[in-house]
Amino acid sequence: MADVERAEHTFGGGWTEIKLNAVSDYLNFYTRALQSSPSPTNPFETWYIDAFAGTGDRTIESKSVGLFSPEPGVMERVRLEGSARRAIAIDPPFRHFVFIEKDPQRFAALERVKSDFPNRDIRCVPGDANDELRKVFSNGLWTQPGRSGLQRAVVFLDPYGMSVRWDTLRYLANTQRADVWYLFPLHAALRQLSHDHAALDAGKRASLNEVFGTPDWEQHFYKYTPKPSDLFDFAATSTPNRSADPDKVEKFAAERLRTIFSFVSEPIPILTRHKLRQFSLFLLSGNPNERAVSLIKRGVAAQIKKFGGRTLPSSR
């Protein structure tokens, strides 16, 4: 029990609340929209899959205030509901829940979420999200004979750094039945794009290839400008200069996502308290049905309006 108690998931601030609120609001819309579809007697089976579930809670440090606080101004540790517990509270409820977590201590704490709701179909899965997501969609209840066509899911990808593989995104798109909230690691990707082209080592290149799903990022973000070698020799030599900023990286990420998903929303900017644009929150879907996409657009529009979605800038 002591190890479980130590596995507090301490992160975020107001920006984390924006992320969780946007996803939670959409989940409320989603289950209401699907509760009687395709028919009241034979509705979709709804799934919520949290691929980086953590402990199910999150802990923040908050300064005590108010007349009745024992010591006003003292920093206190406060436990709040994480994405997993918020999803369980959605009404109408999801029918199935899958919570994936790789870290052993966090996973031990996550299992308490399942024990707190013994009457709900909750599966806690230890392991790497990229591997375990494939298992969810290729085995078990998702492929149940006679019901497989009625399975619908919302997948939340809230990764640690740049840990979502491109082939995982492609796999989710190919299910055609999963809406995917993807917290794209904008700041992390920008940091990998070194100002000094020579500093792009094998590790950085591999990470950028994975997050964008292509090596074409190099020609997109680095321009080769000819310059004379000396005063008397004007033979052209290529000097790569970086041309990357948050807007450009965000736009390129959206363009890449549109190559595999039929729908990619405007991004919701997730800012830190220092106004640094840390992440871009996208809603993605591979559903080819125009009516379904229209419904998804209606559901996400409210979140974009409420939380400040951004229309992506044009190419420069």
Side-chain angles (χ1 to χ4, degrees):
M1 178 61 75
D3 287 341
V4 172
E5 291 298 333
R6 283 199 298 271
E8 289 184 336
H9 205 176
T10 305
F11 66 95
W15 61 273
T16 303
E17 286 299 301
I18 290 175
K19 169 189 69 178
L20 295 179
N21 286 342
V23 174
S24 296
D25 285 359
Y26 182 80
L27 296 183
N28 273 304
F29 168 86
Y30 183 90
T31 59
R32 289 172 185 168
L34 268 61
Q35 65 180 326
S36 296
S37 298
S39 73
T41 57
N42 196 31
F44 290 122
E45 288 195 23
T46 53
W47 294 61
Y48 174 76
I49 303 167
D50 198 328
F52 300 87
T55 63
D57 300 293
R58 70 185 189 91
T59 303
I60 63 169
E61 290 190 341
S62 177
K63 187 176 291 186
S64 60
V65 295
L67 294 174
F68 301 103
S69 297
E71 295 182 71
V74 173
M75 296 302 293
E76 299 177 327
R77 298 179 71 79
V78 180
R79 180 169 290 182
L80 303 175
E81 290 185 336
S83 54
R85 288 190 183 272
R86 286 189 177 209
I88 293 171
I90 296 299
D91 187 32
F94 282 85
R95 185 162 179 179
H96 309 286
F97 298 88
V98 180
F99 302 139
I100 303 170
E101 177 54 45
K102 185 176 182 179
D103 180 83
Q105 285 195 346
R106 289 177 181 166
F107 180 76
L110 180 63
E111 288 197 300
R112 292 188 306 184
V113 176
K114 179 177 180 179
S115 63
D116 288 344
F117 299 92
N119 297 322
R120 308 295 290 274
D121 180 24
I122 298 172
R123 184 152 55 98
C124 297
V125 179
D128 181 271
N130 295 285
D131 300 327
E132 299 304 327
L133 282 169
R134 277 177 163 72
K135 296 176 185 178
V136 171
F137 288 105
S138 60
N139 299 292
L141 288 175
W142 185 267
T143 58
Q144 183 178 5
R147 298 292 297 173
S148 60
L150 292 174
Q151 312 291 2
R152 294 293 183 274
V154 177
V155 179
F156 186 27
L157 299 178
D158 184 3
Y160 306 110
M162 298 166 63
S163 52
V164 174
R165 298 198 305 257
W166 187 260
D167 63 354
T168 298
L169 293 169
R170 186 188 299 278
Y171 185 88
L172 292 173
N174 287 342
T175 69
Q176 299 188 351
R177 289 182 280 143
D179 294 359
V180 181
W181 279 101
Y182 178 33
L183 194 71
F184 177 76
L186 178 65
H187 184 63
L190 189 59
R191 287 184 62 184
Q192 294 295 312
L193 291 164
S194 305
H195 286 277
D196 180 6
H197 184 265
L200 285 171
D201 58 24
K204 290 181 185 292
R205 289 179 182 277
S207 294
L208 290 164
N209 288 350
E210 196 66 84
V211 81
F212 292 124
T214 180
D216 292 350
W217 55 266
E218 188 166 0
Q219 65 186 41
H220 191 84
F221 294 115
Y222 292 89
K223 304 301 180 185
Y224 292 79
T225 306
K227 70 175 184 179
S229 57
D230 57 45
L231 285 174
F232 304 102
D233 181 5
F234 288 89
T237 58
S238 294
T239 302
N241 298 306
R242 192 184 83 152
S243 176
D245 59 26
D247 285 345
K248 194 166 186 177
V249 173
E250 186 177 68
K251 182 175 185 292
F252 185 68
E255 290 172 350
R256 291 295 304 145
L257 291 167
R258 289 192 184 100
T259 66
I260 55 176
F261 288 96
S262 58
F263 172 74
V264 176
S265 75
E266 292 179 22
I268 296 173
I270 305 298
L271 311 178
T272 66
R273 58 185 171 184
H274 302 297
K275 303 302 180 184
L276 174 69
R277 203 189 316 164
Q278 191 86 18
F279 304 98
S280 298
L281 182 61
F282 290 95
L283 178 60
L284 318 168
S285 179
N287 197 320
N289 184 283
E290 290 185 8
R291 184 177 177 184
V293 171
S294 177
L295 187 65
I296 293 167
K297 288 180 178 179
R298 183 154 57 90
V300 75
Q303 317 318 316
I304 291 172
K305 181 177 181 180
K306 184 175 181 180
F307 299 107
R310 301 178 63 258
T311 301
L312 290 165
S314 58
S315 301
R316 300 182 207 174

